[in-house]
Amino acid sequence: MQQQILTVVSNRRLCGNIFEMKLDGCAPCKAGQFVNLELEGLFLRRPISVCDWDNGTLTLDYRVVGKGTELMSRMIPGEKIDTLVTLGNGFDSSVECSSAVLVGGGIGLAPLFLLAKELLARGRKVTVVAGFKTGDEVFNEDLFKSVGADFIVATEDGSRGCKGFVTDAIRESGVLCDYIFACGPMPMMKALCAATDAPAQLSLEERMGCGFGICMGCTCKTTLGAKRVCKDGPVFKREEITW
């Protein structure tokens, strides 16, 4: 963990309530890690997954869902943010596999972009399966395709791609799942593990207080005992999760 004062260099609306924020001057981040932002007037920092790290610029995709992210959406270039960086364990992209399937539910898609780049650099075939409620919520499709990943969309209302959930899209597409990496709501990941038997790494979404393991507020039960999502995770192997 490092504490740094970062500068906002871009904050623009991408799609629906999805925004992109770029901050420069921070340490390199690993796919699946997150940052914790100190926002004016709020007691607790706000944890946001890292979407990308490239050429000294940190990219965050986030959806406005509360007071913290609403404050973020109004920040302008040049503003400074006290930020804790390189938090969490992140994904292990060194695992042996020839074909990796990256499954994202809603904004859970955001931290999978840096992972896709890491896997592609290792010579893995990467297929992204992204689930949304409607087609209007789909984001970053062109971004994933630009680096060489296949992109499959599932929407609950059928307005884009496969009608249904990510499990339906995986089944209908016949995509080969040598290894699965996923981030999204727990019901999605539970259904994913029930529908497939491939080894998997799952990034859990949890409310965090401190973000680095001191407050114990994000403790969850696992097959290995109580674990802190912010410190011991947020990424766990599928066999560690207690559903």
Side-chain angles (χ1 to χ4, degrees), residues 31-34 49 89-91 103 108 111-112 180-186 188-189 200-206 208 229 233-237 241:
Q33 290 188 311
F34 65 95
S49 296
N89 59 354
F91 291 106
V103 182
L112 300 181
I180 295 173
F181 300 86
C183 181
M186 284 296 282
M188 181 203 81
M189 294 197 288
Q201 295 177 34
L202 311 175
S203 180
L204 305 188
E205 296 179 340
E206 184 58 79
M208 300 176 186
V229 172
V235 179
F236 296 88
K237 295 180 180 178
I241 304 298

Side-chain angles (χ1 to χ4, degrees), residues 21-157:
M21 177 177 285
K22 295 183 178 180
L23 311 117
D24 59 8
C26 80
C29 292
K30 178 181 177 183
Q33 290 188 311
F34 65 95
V35 299
N36 233 4
L37 307 178
E38 184 178 87
L39 299 170
E40 186 176 358
L42 300 182
F43 177 69
L44 295 177
R45 290 175 180 263
R46 292 306 193 259
I48 304 291
S49 296
V50 172
C51 176
D52 195 15
W53 164 262
D54 187 43
N55 296 324
T57 298
L58 181 69
T59 302
L60 312 174
D61 279 358
Y62 61 98
R63 175 174 285 127
V64 177
V65 294
K67 188 173 182 180
T69 45
E70 196 278 328
L71 286 172
M72 289 173 61
S73 72
R74 292 194 272 111
M75 301 190 77
I76 61 175
E79 287 194 61
K80 306 291 185 180
I81 308 179
D82 187 302
T83 309
L84 302 180
V85 298
T86 63
L87 298 172
N89 59 354
F91 291 106
D92 179 7
S93 61
S94 69
V95 294
E96 290 298 324
C97 69
S98 59
S99 178
V101 177
L102 281 53
V103 182
I107 196 61
L109 180 67
L112 300 181
F113 178 66
L114 183 55
L115 174 63
K117 293 204 305 181
E118 290 182 5
L119 290 166
L120 289 164
R122 293 178 181 274
R124 314 287 197 255
K125 175 177 174 54
V126 173
T127 301
V128 178
V129 181
F132 304 92
K133 290 183 179 180
T134 72
D136 291 338
E137 296 180 358
V138 178
F139 71 102
N140 281 358
E141 179 175 1
D142 291 341
L143 191 63
F144 278 98
K145 288 181 176 179
S146 72
V147 295
D150 293 334
F151 197 90
I152 299 171
V153 174
T155 54
E156 294 181 28
D157 66 356

